[in-house]
Amino acid sequence: MTHAAASPSRFAHQLAQQYGLDEVPASRSAMPSLDMARMHYPEPHLFVLAPLPAEDAFVVSVELERAGSRRFFHGNAQTHLGLLEPGAVHIADLAERPSAYVCSPFHSVLFRLPRSTMDEFARESGGPAVAQLHCTPGASDPVLAGIAAALLPSLKRPAEACRLFIDHMALALCAHLASTYGGSQGRRPVAAGLAPWQERRAKELLAANLARNVSLAEVAAECGLSRGHFSKAFKATTGRSPHSWLIERRIEAVRGMLLESTASLSEIAVACGFADQSHLTRVFGARTGSSPALWRRQRLRPAAAPAAAAAAGGCATT
């Protein structure tokens, strides 16, 4: 089955409506900072990607699997691509109303980037505005392939996506596109970390909102910094990205509730910022090497053992 999968977004809805694809239902985790979709066409037959409505935006496609030939049409020009390897990239300007003929199965991640998004990134980073994005169609880009792979779980399970992580990846995407395909180097990154008050405020805000999808912009604004500057400064200060630090605090909160409450795993998951029990189990297992249920049993058993032994001893002496 051919389908488009994404966080609920106008772009994913456009793809679903334009090409008659299935769209993932809306979830509680919207990602306004990054408009993306996953397209999968498994049948070896002609598939026509007709032009989307013209707008001042770019679409960047990254191949997830080896794909066959296709032909792109943009403006009065056309580009023919042969065999595409995983990580192959193509960039289209939606103002030119690009279209394509695809004759073989494909599996791609697509990013939609309005020019206004690139302009906002340029202002924050101190670099020049990006007029155009130029790439050799079909060329491999390991960085974009890595970004697409990192975001794939968020596309498959949008309810579990962490806003801080999505925001961070959106900045990384814009930075790479601007420097590699837009000719913009921006300013040299500042190595300094956060001031003590900024670190304290950022941690307080994150810790107080474990169950809420706080945005990178929200935390950065509390520190009086741009998103990019804050993200780098936070890691320079703590040794962790904001997203990684938040996940650690959530796991700490889970441990506390496992030991100190009788709440169910599903209740603990929601209280600590996870989408559901399944999401909690995957993240907890990856961080601790154990499931939450097993971790709880192993730590509660020693406390129960003396009572059990005393009870057994009491019975033996009577």
Side-chain angles (χ1 to χ4, degrees):
M1 179 181 68
T2 308
H3 61 274
S7 59
S9 69
R10 184 168 65 88
F11 182 49
H13 182 69
Q14 273 186 335
L15 294 176
Q17 293 295 311
Q18 183 85 5
Y19 305 134
L21 310 180
D22 297 328
E23 186 178 5
V24 169
S27 73
R28 72 175 181 87
S29 180
M31 305 175 193
S33 61
L34 188 56
D35 212 355
M36 54 187 179
R38 178 172 63 94
M39 291 187 66
H40 187 201
Y41 185 65
E43 303 299 330
H45 301 294
L46 177 64
F47 185 57
V48 180
L49 295 171
L52 291 168
E55 60 176 313
D56 198 12
F58 303 100
V59 169
V60 181
S61 63
V62 184
E63 301 303 317
L64 297 178
E65 302 172 1
R66 175 174 288 189
S69 64
R70 67 191 65 174
R71 192 179 299 273
F72 292 97
F73 300 88
H74 43 94
N76 296 321
Q78 63 175 288
T79 302
H80 179 263
L81 301 181
L83 182 66
L84 297 174
E85 296 295 333
V89 173
H90 182 262
I91 300 177
D93 188 339
L94 285 179
E96 298 180 347
R97 301 206 67 202
S99 60
Y101 288 167
V102 182
C103 301
S104 61
F106 68 91
H107 191 189
S108 311
V109 167
L110 286 78
F111 302 101
R112 173 187 168 274
L113 285 163
R115 197 179 301 274
S116 58
T117 298
M118 297 300 296
D119 290 343
E120 180 183 1
F121 173 78
R123 287 193 298 271
E124 284 193 0
S125 63
V130 174
Q132 287 294 330
L133 295 175
H134 301 281
C135 81
T136 302
S140 178
D141 188 325
V143 174
L144 283 182
I147 291 174
L151 288 167
L152 198 55
S154 298
L155 289 171
K156 292 180 177 179
R157 297 185 295 271
E160 299 179 6
C162 177
R163 179 72 179 276
L164 284 175
F165 175 71
I166 298 299
D167 290 349
H168 175 74
M169 298 307 293
L171 286 175
L173 177 68
C174 288
H176 181 69
L177 290 174
S179 62
T180 305
Y181 304 111
S184 172
Q185 297 302 318
R187 292 187 302 190
R188 183 170 297 178
V190 179
L194 297 172
W197 74 267
Q198 292 172 320
E199 179 184 3
R200 182 173 61 254
R201 180 60 188 134
K203 288 181 176 179
E204 287 174 349
L205 182 60
L206 291 173
N209 291 277
L210 293 182
R212 186 167 70 86
N213 242 342
V214 179
S215 71
L216 190 61
E218 184 177 349
V219 186
E222 287 289 325
C223 298
L225 300 172
S226 69
R227 295 170 300 166
H229 189 171
F230 168 76
S231 185
K232 292 173 184 175
F234 188 94
K235 187 168 185 178
T237 300
T238 67
R240 295 168 177 78
S241 69
H243 166 252
S244 181
W245 190 91
L246 176 65
I247 295 301
E248 288 183 358
R249 301 294 81 73
R250 285 176 171 172
I251 294 297
E252 284 183 3
V254 168
R255 288 192 182 106
M257 291 191 69
L258 288 173
L259 293 178
E260 300 167 9
S261 78
T262 58
S264 68
L265 292 183
S266 59
E267 290 171 333
I268 292 174
V270 174
C272 296
F274 296 94
D276 50 32
Q277 182 177 334
S278 176
H279 183 206
L280 166 61
T281 299
R282 280 196 299 275
V283 178
F284 192 91
R287 296 272 176 158
T288 68
S290 173
S291 70
L294 178 59
W295 191 92
R296 174 185 254 174
R297 287 198 301 271
Q298 289 175 335
R299 280 151 184 80
L300 291 180
R301 187 180 301 127
C315 290
T317 58
T318 57

